[in-house]
Amino acid sequence: MFRARRASPAPVWLIPVVFAGLYAVFAAFSLATTQTEHGIALIWPSSGVLFAGLLLSTRQSRLLLLALIAPVSMAVNMAFGATFAIAAGLTLANVLEGAIAVAMACGLDGRCGRFDDPRWIARFVIASVCASAASALIASVATGAIDSPTFLYSWFKTVFLGMLIVAPVIVTGVHTVSDRTRIAFDRRKILAAGLFATVSIVATFGQTDYPLLFLPVVAIVFVTFIAGVAGALVMICAITIAATISLIVGTSPITFVSDPLQKIYFTQFYLLTIFASSLPPAALLARSRAQMAEIELRKAQHDAAQAFAHVGHWRYCLRTNTSQWSDGMFAIYGLDPKVDRARNLEHGSIVEELEGHVRETLKKAVLDRQPFTLAARILNAQGESRYIESAGDVEIENGKVVAIFGVLKDVTNHVTALRQLAVEKERAEALAQKSQRLSETDQLTGIANRRKLLDTLGREIARSEREHTDLSILMIDVDHFKSINDRFGHAVGDEVLKRLANLGSTTLRKGDLFGRLGGEEFLAILPSASAETAAHIGERLRRECEELDWPKIAKLDGVTISLGVAMCQFGYDETSLLHAADTALYESKRSGRNRLTIADRDGSIEKAAKLISASRR
């Protein structure tokens, strides 16, 4: 079970100040309790405190923590008799070991892992080894003991143990208290494990008669199984504290080693063994439990999904000619698994016209020894028609096919939905086509509107450039159209526009587009047409418009049009091409109307000799 909990962010200076204080306390304690004439401690917890503080800090607060550690280390070392030079060297070793450790453990992105991840633990251990080795080398130089293997080994071992044991305990403890996810353990199991661990540690390190060093190992395995990574770290810390106290007060069970220095070395090796045999397995156990929880969750979701999706599975034995069904199969067929028996898939409820198809599909799967899929329709026990799909394979033993098995799904809702979707899709497509036609059609004349014309013109310009083909346009304007509206009314004006729209649509070639730009202005798009071709088409349109029997149609004396032709040039877009045609149209109107003008290649108007025009009758 998990409970979500939010924690307000701590000030940037809080963690550095707290861990600098803890560093001073543990450093002073370690120096005060240092055993042997060589000044060798069992463990240097201050290194673990510094490493933990750096792991829990942000990038900004890490620099502050390292800056605070320097004067603290100087003060503690000088308080216990070190000269300024030696204290400075030891301080440098302490600060650099922390910087190296966090840099290697967290990498360039500065992100730190957790101690329930085996890969992170390996990275943490490697970082601790490198940082401890660097610290030992710097300290040996600072103290003038560079030629002393004992000093190098002792410094490395105490710092390494401090990082390995103290840092994980502090980091995991902070995460357990303030993290977003807390695991609720069984209290009775925790109490039992704690009691057993306490008895084991006391019995081991509280006497000198029997070397019961195996008891804490048994206890740590038990606690790790019950409490996971947190339990393993607590046990490692407890054993380390008990071993340290036993060395100080003289109750260490390592009586088979008489030399005090060798006894410390043996205890350090023992603690390393405890760490190696508990934390990595605890991390693996935590990962395994997380994976099992994930598998159980997915299984429950899968079972629920199968029930919700109306899925079942079946098996037909060729030897006994009998079938086995899951509860899902009985539910699909509308049967009771407690009363009814499983049926063979190829007959029974399968509709008669599909029995042969199902039988042949299963027979072919047996002969070819290949997977199969089939679809059919059944009548369930209530007489309802249901659609099913099944997929499966054959079972082979000793080279012979002994059974067929498969998964069956009720797809009635799916089939019904697909059919309804097809109907709705057809209806939607019809509506869309109708809407598109309406959006691209001029309501008065029934031909292409401005939107359709401009869209088509853009595509034709792109195609002309891509395929290196000609493209011309005709811009048409009804002469004196305002006068027609004023004299005869808008109804007559509308009839003129309709007649011209019909005339333009029938005069143009197949593949050309004729439409209304707006008002009394029309446009013809002529793909693969040169300016001369467009001029001939436009002249034919102008002539037919002039010769139309207008008095019979709308009681008009006559209606004429003016036209402008423009041919698409390299680099033209819709605006420039339309502008060229409009300029030519304007020239036609300026020159007396009822005529056609071709725009020059640069968009200007050609000379009169280039005009194709006809005088108004």
Side-chain angles (χ1 to χ4, degrees):
M1 296 176 60
F2 295 90
R3 294 181 295 173
R5 209 174 93 167
R6 291 180 173 233
S8 58
V12 176
W13 54 265
L14 181 59
I15 291 179
V17 170
V18 170
F19 278 89
L22 289 175
Y23 183 93
V25 171
F26 279 100
F29 174 79
S30 298
L31 289 174
T33 57
T34 295
Q35 298 295 298
T36 79
E37 60 187 78
H38 302 283
I40 299 175
L42 177 63
I43 181 175
W44 189 253
S46 298
S47 298
V49 170
L50 175 58
F51 199 1
L54 292 171
L55 292 176
L56 293 170
S57 301
T58 62
R59 281 189 170 184
Q60 296 82 355
S61 57
R62 284 173 187 167
L63 295 176
L64 178 57
L65 176 56
L66 291 173
L68 292 176
I69 289 299
V72 169
S73 177
M74 285 288 296
V76 172
N77 280 290
M78 292 181 69
F80 281 86
T83 64
F84 181 84
I86 293 178
L90 298 180
T91 297
L92 178 63
N94 294 331
V95 172
L96 286 181
E97 76 186 27
I100 293 172
V102 74
M104 293 187 64
C106 300
L108 297 176
D109 57 1
R111 295 182 180 180
C112 304
R114 301 177 66 97
F115 288 97
D116 54 2
D117 182 357
R119 289 178 298 180
W120 160 251
I121 293 176
R123 188 170 178 176
F124 166 80
V125 171
I126 293 173
S128 299
V129 169
C130 295
S132 301
S135 177
L137 184 62
I138 295 171
S140 63
V141 173
T143 58
I146 188 64
D147 57 346
S148 174
T150 300
F151 182 88
L152 278 170
Y153 173 77
S154 300
W155 186 282
F156 169 81
K157 203 68 170 292
T158 54
V159 170
F160 183 49
L161 280 174
M163 289 185 172
L164 281 190
I165 296 172
V166 177
V169 172
I170 295 176
V171 172
T172 304
V174 171
H175 286 166
T176 302
V177 172
S178 63
D179 213 359
R180 303 26 152 188
T181 56
R182 270 206 226 168
I183 303 176
F185 297 106
D186 188 325
R187 291 186 177 181
R188 289 180 296 178
K189 291 182 179 180
I190 291 295
L191 289 174
L195 179 62
F196 178 69
T198 302
V199 172
S200 300
I201 292 173
V202 172
T204 301
F205 296 101
Q207 49 81 36
T208 58
D209 295 329
Y210 306 100
L212 304 176
L213 296 175
F214 66 91
L215 279 180
V217 177
V218 175
I220 202 169
V221 172
F222 181 52
V223 173
T224 299
F225 180 77
I226 299 299
V229 173
L233 290 173
V234 170
M235 278 297 296
I236 293 172
C237 184
I239 293 172
T240 302
I241 294 173
T244 302
I245 295 174
S246 69
L247 286 174
I248 294 174
V249 301
T251 59
S252 174
I254 311 174
T255 54
F256 48 84
V257 178
S258 57
D259 182 72
L261 183 60
Q262 295 300 322
K263 186 176 292 188
I264 290 176
Y265 290 161
F266 185 90
T267 305
Q268 289 174 335
F269 177 77
Y270 175 74
L271 294 178
L272 283 176
T273 304
I274 290 290
F275 178 90
S277 62
S278 58
L279 187 57
L284 292 173
L285 179 62
R287 170 167 290 190
S288 176
R289 286 175 173 172
Q291 291 173 343
M292 288 298 297
E294 180 68 17
I295 290 173
E296 290 179 1
L297 176 61
R298 291 185 180 274
K299 182 179 181 301
Q301 293 172 342
H302 182 263
D303 292 342
Q306 279 194 325
F308 181 77
H310 305 290
V311 176
H313 58 84
W314 57 271
R315 181 179 183 275
Y316 175 70
C317 180
L318 296 175
R319 294 170 178 171
T320 60
N321 197 31
T322 57
S323 295
Q324 296 175 337
W325 280 9
S326 67
D327 289 348
M329 288 287 294
F330 284 98
I332 292 172
Y333 277 77
L335 301 174
D336 185 353
K338 297 180 181 178
V339 178
D340 301 305
R341 64 179 182 83
R343 304 178 180 182
N344 294 345
L345 192 65
E346 70 270 25
H347 59 78
S349 297
I350 301 290
V351 294
E352 185 176 353
E353 62 268 23
L354 294 176
E355 282 188 10
H357 166 68
V358 174
R359 185 178 295 108
E360 288 301 318
T361 299
L362 298 179
K363 181 179 179 180
K364 187 175 186 301
V366 173
L367 294 176
D368 296 344
R369 302 187 178 192
Q370 294 292 329
F372 66 89
T373 58
L374 59 87
R377 183 167 63 89
I378 66 170
L379 295 176
N380 64 13
Q382 291 73 39
E384 298 174 340
S385 181
R386 312 295 295 178
Y387 293 89
I388 62 168
E389 290 181 357
S390 185
D393 205 347
V394 297
E395 291 183 11
I396 300 177
E397 289 183 7
N398 300 323
K400 294 183 179 181
V401 178
V402 296
I404 315 172
F405 66 92
V407 176
L408 187 141
K409 178 177 176 58
D410 184 347
V411 294
T412 304
N413 293 337
H414 181 64
V415 172
T416 304
L418 285 179
R419 290 180 176 178
Q420 183 65 29
L421 184 61
V423 173
E424 294 297 331
K425 180 182 178 182
E426 184 177 350
R427 183 183 304 170
E429 288 176 348
L431 290 174
Q433 291 175 359
K434 182 179 179 181
S435 299
Q436 185 174 4
R437 286 196 301 270
L438 290 175
S439 68
E440 296 178 345
T441 304
D442 181 65
Q443 293 184 354
L444 175 63
T445 61
I447 60 176
N449 61 10
R450 183 182 184 89
R451 175 184 176 184
K452 174 68 173 178
L453 287 169
L454 295 180
D455 287 346
T456 303
L457 183 59
R459 290 196 300 271
E460 290 299 332
I461 290 175
R463 187 167 72 90
S464 173
E465 291 186 355
R466 184 174 62 252
E467 299 178 4
H468 304 289
T469 57
D470 291 336
L471 171 66
S472 297
I473 63 172
L474 275 171
M475 189 171 287
I476 305 110
D477 189 84
V478 180
D479 295 332
H480 303 293
F481 184 72
K482 184 177 185 302
S483 176
I484 294 174
N485 277 334
D486 292 341
R487 292 173 58 196
F488 301 99
H490 288 280
V492 174
D494 290 347
E495 186 63 28
V496 170
L497 296 178
K498 291 178 184 178
R499 290 289 176 172
L500 185 56
N502 181 65
L503 192 63
S505 299
T506 56
T507 301
L508 268 60
R509 309 168 304 169
K510 183 179 180 180
D512 296 340
L513 179 64
F514 188 78
R516 183 185 177 195
L517 276 176
E520 71 274 19
E521 199 169 43
F522 294 83
L523 181 70
I525 301 174
L526 311 172
S528 303
S530 63
E532 289 74 17
T533 301
H536 287 296
I537 295 172
E539 179 61 19
R540 185 168 67 247
L541 176 62
R542 185 201 64 76
R543 188 170 54 251
E544 290 184 7
C545 176
E546 184 182 34
E547 295 173 352
L548 200 63
D549 191 0
W550 288 105
K552 184 179 179 180
I553 297 171
K555 298 180 181 180
L556 297 169
D557 295 337
V559 176
T560 62
I561 57 175
S562 298
L563 304 94
V565 174
M567 182 175 174
C568 187
Q569 307 296 329
F570 180 77
Y572 269 22
D573 58 9
E574 299 96 311
T575 302
S576 52
L577 185 56
L578 287 170
H579 176 72
D582 188 57
T583 303
L585 174 62
Y586 175 78
E587 179 64 19
S588 293
K589 285 185 168 294
R590 193 183 66 82
S591 301
R593 293 184 172 85
N594 192 24
R595 63 187 64 225
L596 182 147
T597 304
I598 303 176
D600 201 354
R601 291 185 177 274
D602 61 357
S604 63
I605 306 302
E606 294 186 352
K607 301 300 181 182
K610 295 276 187 161
L611 299 181
I612 301 175
S613 60
S615 301
R616 183 175 180 182
R617 292 180 181 177

